[in-house]
């Protein structure tokens, strides 16, 4: 007769403690397998966490480097614009000194045009 888990109570009585011992062995093996699986999952989780932290550090360093490059290029652009503004200011002052009446006429014409546009 078969001695499976779902055998009748008569077979359990005949086999005595063998069925109970077999079930206990199976439960013990299952517990060990579950413990090993949990340890494996924990190890994989830790490895994934370390990898994610390393990627985050690398990305942060790259972002900081690119931000620094952007700031430097912005400072260079600002310096260049200041130089151009100073040159343009000098040219305007020179033009006003050399042609004061023409400058006054141009300013008046621009004012009249702006007034005409604003009335509409």
């Amino acid at each position: 007769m078969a001695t499976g888990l779902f055998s009748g109570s008569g077979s359990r009585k005949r086999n005595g403690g063998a069925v109970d011992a077999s079930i206990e062995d199976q439960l013990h093996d299952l517990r060990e397998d579950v413990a090993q699986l949990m340890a494996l999952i924990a190890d994989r989780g830790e490895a994934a966490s370390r990898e994610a932290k390393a990627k985050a550090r690398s990305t942060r360093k790259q972002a900081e480097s690119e931000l620094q490059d952007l700031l430097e290029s912005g400072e260079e652009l600002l310096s260049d614009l200041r130089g151009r503004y100073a040159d343009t200011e000098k040219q305007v002052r020179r033009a006003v000194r050399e042609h004061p009446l023409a400058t006054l006429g141009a300013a008046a014409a621009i004012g009249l045009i702006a007034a005409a546009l604003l009335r509409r």
Side-chain angles (χ1 to χ4, degrees), residues 7-103:
S7 299
S9 63
S11 64
R12 257 190 247 136
K13 287 179 187 176
R14 275 180 262 148
N15 291 335
V19 172
D20 291 338
S22 173
I23 291 174
E24 286 179 17
D25 289 342
Q26 289 177 359
L27 284 174
H28 178 70
D29 291 343
L30 283 173
R31 285 185 184 121
E32 286 180 356
D33 290 345
V34 168
Q36 289 175 355
L37 182 61
M38 293 298 290
L40 180 64
I41 290 172
D43 290 344
R44 295 250 173 120
E46 287 178 25
S49 176
R50 283 191 301 268
E51 184 179 326
K53 286 179 183 179
K55 285 182 181 179
R57 277 189 227 109
S58 173
T59 302
R60 181 179 179 190
K61 286 180 183 177
Q62 182 180 1
E64 287 174 350
S65 173
E66 290 178 3
L67 178 62
Q68 187 64 31
D69 292 344
L70 182 63
L71 288 173
E72 288 173 4
S73 66
E75 288 173 357
E76 289 175 11
L77 180 63
L78 184 59
S79 175
D80 185 43
L81 287 175
R82 284 181 181 160
R84 288 184 182 183
Y85 177 75
D87 291 343
T88 303
E89 181 183 9
K90 288 177 186 175
Q91 289 176 357
V92 168
R93 286 181 185 209
R94 189 177 326 131
V96 169
R97 274 191 228 124
E98 292 176 1
H99 309 288
L101 292 177
T103 304

